[in-house]
Amino acid sequence: MAAPPGDTASYEVPDLVDALAQLSFVILNSLAEIAGEHELSIVQVRLLGVLRDREPNMNTLGRHLGLDKSSVSGLVDRAQRRGLVVRTPSKIDGRSFRVSITESGHHTVEKVATAYAARIATLTETLTPQDRQTLAQYANRIIVADARWNGIDLRIGRH
Amino acid sequence: MAAPPGDTASYEVPDLVDALAQLSFVILNSLAEIAGEHELSIVQVRLLGVLRDREPNMNTLGRHLGLDKSSVSGLVDRAQRRGLVVRTPSKIDGRSFRVSITESGHHTVEKVATAYAARIATLTETLTPQDRQTLAQYANRIIVADARWNGIDLRIGRH
DNA sequence: TATTGTTATACTCTATAACTATA
DNA sequence: TATAGTTATAGAGTATAACAATA
């Protein structure tokens, strides 16, 4: 079904607005597919990704993920049931829990990250290293513009 | 909270692999936010988008959206309940329905598309017209690579 | 028999509101 | 009173399996 390599048949080329939406679907569908091979959803991967270098409480975790605290409760419940994360009671605040990734969770998220990176490498293999760097710069400009649009400061130390 | 215009503080610059994931979240979150202002989800917007220039049956619609027929049943149910789409019995096949967008659905999706295009314009306003064209080309190369990866032929007339 | 579509069921994900326990 | 977190509830979205009607 795929067009043969070197095929020159024409196809409709989306403009930037369409291209960015389609690109985003492609990227996140790829991530969802890879995550699914490890029985994970995208939000579970994001959860584990956040916990790779942090041990936040439920509240902070919700801010990182952009989710209500009740959503975080359920999310962490399901991840904990699968042995991917654990809740530890805070020693300073009796109401609070530290959420941390388990060894199993870490192992799983690393496998997903590796497979995702490999997929991106495949999807961008027709771009030159220079093209890839330029693409990353454009993407980062949009990410920064979005953060400003949402009133968030990306500078280090302001998380 | 936003860094002031012209601010030069450093922040961590994601590499291409991270940048594409973050970009995709930014783009789809923007779309979800805009869709939400019209009481729509992203998948409902995709549904209406597909129906802007097609009147497929449930089966074909499922293929366009990458969803199981049972998922499409529920999706179309909810959209029809809101008056955005209609099912019409096929005249040729007694088992089949033609799904079409209503005037109200068309009006809604056009408003979402316009607001989304405006948002993309804002997010890319620091890029030159040349940069934007280059970005669209890179995005399209990834879209084509993904289609080939999934064994789909994007060429016109092969849908 | 094969295909089109719906329904029953189950699960994830999400939010709002009400609640408990601690600060 | 305010904050951290859970629970009850409701709804969207998804898939699998079983089903009805038509081809």
Side-chain angles (χ1 to χ4, degrees):
Chain A
M1 317 306 142
D7 183 282
T8 55
S10 65
Y11 54 88
E12 287 167 22
V13 176
D15 66 0
L16 179 61
V17 169
D18 276 4
L20 286 178
Q22 288 188 33
L23 172 66
S24 301
F25 280 116
V26 159
I27 298 297
L28 292 189
N29 281 346
S30 296
L31 182 54
E33 181 191 321
I34 290 162
E37 287 164 9
H38 299 269
E39 320 273 66
L40 293 180
S41 65
I42 283 191
V43 69
Q44 295 279 348
V45 170
R46 289 183 66 209
L47 168 66
L48 298 182
V50 165
L51 297 180
R52 277 207 284 194
D53 45 19
R54 289 176 201 85
E55 293 194 334
N57 59 21
M58 300 292 283
N59 231 324
T60 307
L61 187 50
R63 257 182 278 119
H64 273 289
L65 297 170
L67 293 175
D68 186 84
K69 55 188 179 170
S70 64
S71 304
V72 177
S73 275
L75 196 64
V76 170
D77 280 351
R78 292 186 292 275
Q80 189 159 9
R81 225 180 290 138
R82 298 185 201 174
L84 302 170
V85 308
V86 282
R87 282 176 175 91
T88 313
S90 164
K91 283 156 191 158
I92 349 174
D93 187 334
R95 302 166 298 178
S96 193
F97 293 90
R98 227 178 60 235
V99 184
S100 6
I101 193 166
T102 64
E103 192 141 340
S104 158
H106 197 268
H107 187 234
T108 304
V109 73
E110 289 303 332
K111 281 196 294 187
V112 170
T114 302
Y116 166 69
R119 175 75 70 95
I120 295 300
T122 300
L123 291 178
T124 59
E125 73 188 352
T126 70
L127 302 185
T128 68
Q130 174 61 57
D131 287 341
R132 286 192 206 103
Q133 194 186 330
T134 303
L135 174 56
Q137 282 165 358
Y138 290 160
N140 284 319
R141 285 224 232 149
I142 294 174
I143 292 162
V144 170
D146 179 75
R148 293 195 175 170
W149 206 92
N150 287 305
I152 293 166
D153 189 340
L154 283 183
R155 288 172 299 167
I156 290 173
R158 314 293 171 90
H159 306 305
Chain B
M1 319 304 148
D7 184 280
T8 55
S10 65
Y11 54 88
E12 286 167 22
V13 176
D15 67 359
L16 179 61
V17 169
D18 276 3
L20 286 179
Q22 288 189 33
L23 173 67
S24 301
F25 279 117
V26 159
I27 297 296
L28 292 190
N29 281 345
S30 297
L31 182 53
E33 182 191 320
I34 290 162
E37 288 164 8
H38 298 269
E39 319 273 64
L40 292 180
S41 65
I42 283 192
V43 69
Q44 294 279 349
V45 170
R46 288 183 67 209
L47 167 65
L48 298 182
V50 165
L51 297 180
R52 278 206 285 193
D53 46 19
R54 289 176 201 84
E55 294 195 332
N57 59 21
M58 300 290 285
N59 230 323
T60 307
L61 187 50
R63 257 181 279 119
H64 273 289
L65 296 171
L67 294 175
D68 186 84
K69 54 188 179 170
S70 64
S71 304
V72 178
S73 274
L75 196 63
V76 170
D77 280 350
R78 293 185 291 274
Q80 188 159 11
R81 226 180 287 137
R82 298 185 202 174
L84 302 170
V85 308
V86 283
R87 283 175 174 91
T88 313
S90 164
K91 282 157 192 157
I92 350 173
D93 188 332
R95 303 166 297 181
S96 194
F97 293 89
R98 228 176 61 235
V99 184
S100 6
I101 194 167
T102 63
E103 193 143 338
S104 157
H106 197 268
H107 187 233
T108 304
V109 74
E110 290 304 331
K111 280 197 293 188
V112 170
T114 301
Y116 166 69
R119 177 74 70 94
I120 295 301
T122 299
L123 291 178
T124 59
E125 73 188 354
T126 70
L127 303 185
T128 67
Q130 174 61 58
D131 286 342
R132 287 193 206 103
Q133 194 186 330
T134 303
L135 174 55
Q137 281 165 0
Y138 291 160
N140 284 319
R141 285 223 233 149
I142 294 175
I143 292 163
V144 170
D146 178 74
R148 292 196 174 169
W149 207 91
N150 287 305
I152 293 166
D153 188 340
L154 284 184
R155 288 171 300 165
I156 290 172
R158 311 293 171 92
H159 306 304

